[in-house]
Amino acid sequence: MNKTVHGIFRIMTLAAILNIGLTAAVSAQSKLVVAIQPTLSSDEMLKKAQPLAKFFKDGLGGNTDVQIYVPTSHAAVVESLRFGHAHLAFMSAWPAQLAVQLGGADVPLAEIRQVIHGNEKKDAPYYFSYWVVPKDSPYQNLQALKGKSVCFSSPISTSGYVGQGSRSQNIL
Amino acid sequence: MDASIIAGDVPEKLYHEVLGATRVIEQQGPIPSHAVVFSKEFKDPPRSRTIQTITQLGAPEHRNLMRSFISSLFVGFKPTTAAEHLGALNNYLKLVGLKFTERL
């Protein structure tokens, strides 16, 4: 397995700052800038974010200018926290870990999700992932997959790549 | 393709479709869910007020605000710390040896 994933987070700091285009001073308490990790197009997400912005504004007393910002990449979310362009962000696990590691960010809240552990539905802040093979596959364990083809999801996916990679490192 | 990966945080129908057509040979976890991350510069009192506000998103009448575009599986938030929530992930990263690289 390639030990270094080059180019995953190669958005440069300067580019991130320019792309953000926000001038929020974190010390300005009348403004709240929320960064959301991109999952849809920015335009689509910003449109859907308006009710959430209103929720924040109302919840904070009505006098806070709430800006919801959808960066173009995971790296830009990390950078926006790191350089104080966003006060907070909704993030997946690995980018969150990078924000902590590189920017001294804090993780005060974890998302509880509807997940499935084995065959059991649960509401939990964690889940599991599974190596699967066709039912008629001759492979019974990870050791048997050595040298075979495995389909992983995105190389920055915690469940689809990082976690599974660590498992295979242990065994293969 | 000889093998693939399915996670337990996908829609239930997809999860059961995949597991119904395949056989599990190994599992990995726990894998941390998404998180709310605060800049180190974001201090009290607005910090605490904001945490209280975000926590209210878990109320049944507000959940759709999150489900509609951030996470369709959203239920709520629980207080945590980086060490608690991301500890397992840090172990995985050490084992795999993946590194953050940044080119300026």
Side-chain angles (χ1 to χ4, degrees):
Chain A
M1 182 179 294
N2 187 353
K3 291 288 182 183
T4 302
V5 177
H6 289 290
I8 292 176
F9 292 105
R10 283 191 299 181
I11 298 292
M12 296 184 296
T13 300
L14 180 59
I17 292 169
L18 292 174
N19 283 337
I20 289 167
L22 296 173
T23 56
V26 170
S27 59
Q29 297 182 6
S30 61
K31 180 182 283 188
L32 180 74
V33 179
V34 180
I36 297 176
Q37 195 168 285
T39 53
L40 305 168
S41 73
S42 290
D43 287 347
E44 195 173 353
M45 288 194 70
L46 286 173
K47 191 174 178 182
K48 290 186 173 184
Q50 294 314 306
L52 184 62
K54 182 178 185 308
F55 175 85
F56 273 112
K57 187 178 180 70
D58 293 346
L60 295 171
N63 294 319
T64 301
D65 175 21
V66 179
Q67 296 182 5
I68 291 187
Y69 156 61
V70 182
T72 54
S73 71
H74 296 73
V77 181
V78 174
E79 298 300 288
S80 67
L81 288 170
R82 185 179 178 186
F83 290 97
H85 292 275
H87 297 89
L88 66 98
F90 294 91
M91 308 176 78
S92 58
W94 193 9
Q97 191 270 345
L98 288 171
V100 171
Q101 177 188 339
L102 299 172
D106 186 21
V107 181
L109 296 169
E111 182 187 331
I112 298 172
R113 294 182 148 193
Q114 294 173 328
V115 295
I116 308 171
H117 294 175
N119 286 317
E120 187 180 358
K121 286 174 66 174
K122 284 192 171 186
D123 293 343
Y126 65 92
Y127 55 97
F128 295 85
S129 59
Y130 307 90
W131 292 76
V132 294
V133 296
K135 281 187 181 294
D136 59 354
S137 168
Y139 310 119
Q140 303 296 324
N141 51 48
L142 286 191
Q143 288 88 343
L145 288 176
K146 190 168 187 175
K148 306 302 178 187
S149 298
V150 178
C151 178
F152 293 102
S153 57
S154 162
I156 59 169
S157 167
T158 308
S159 60
Y161 190 75
V162 179
Q164 302 299 342
S166 71
R167 190 68 178 143
S168 63
Q169 289 286 89
N170 268 345
I171 293 172
L172 296 180
Chain B
M1 199 57 58
D2 297 301
S4 189
I5 311 296
I6 179 75
D9 72 333
V10 297
E12 187 178 2
K13 182 171 181 290
L14 171 63
Y15 180 85
H16 288 303
E17 275 181 11
V18 171
L19 289 194
T22 57
R23 176 163 46 83
V24 174
I25 62 169
E26 190 63 62
Q27 77 171 45
Q28 169 71 36
I31 295 165
S33 66
H34 289 206
V36 183
V37 183
F38 277 40
S39 166
K40 68 179 179 183
E41 305 298 336
F42 192 25
K43 309 286 188 188
D44 275 333
R47 183 184 187 282
S48 293
R49 285 204 313 266
T50 304
I51 289 174
Q52 288 172 0
T53 299
I54 293 172
T55 302
Q56 290 168 11
L57 284 166
E61 64 271 28
H62 297 310
R63 279 183 192 159
N64 277 340
L65 290 172
M66 288 289 292
R67 288 182 177 180
S68 64
F69 76 114
I70 293 183
S71 168
S72 62
L73 304 172
F74 174 78
V75 173
F77 290 107
K78 73 176 283 285
T80 191
T81 63
E84 177 188 356
H85 191 58
L86 303 176
L89 172 63
N90 282 328
N91 291 336
Y92 305 152
L93 288 167
K94 284 176 189 169
L95 283 168
V96 176
L98 293 172
K99 293 174 184 172
F100 172 82
T101 60
E102 185 177 52
R103 293 178 182 172
L104 297 177

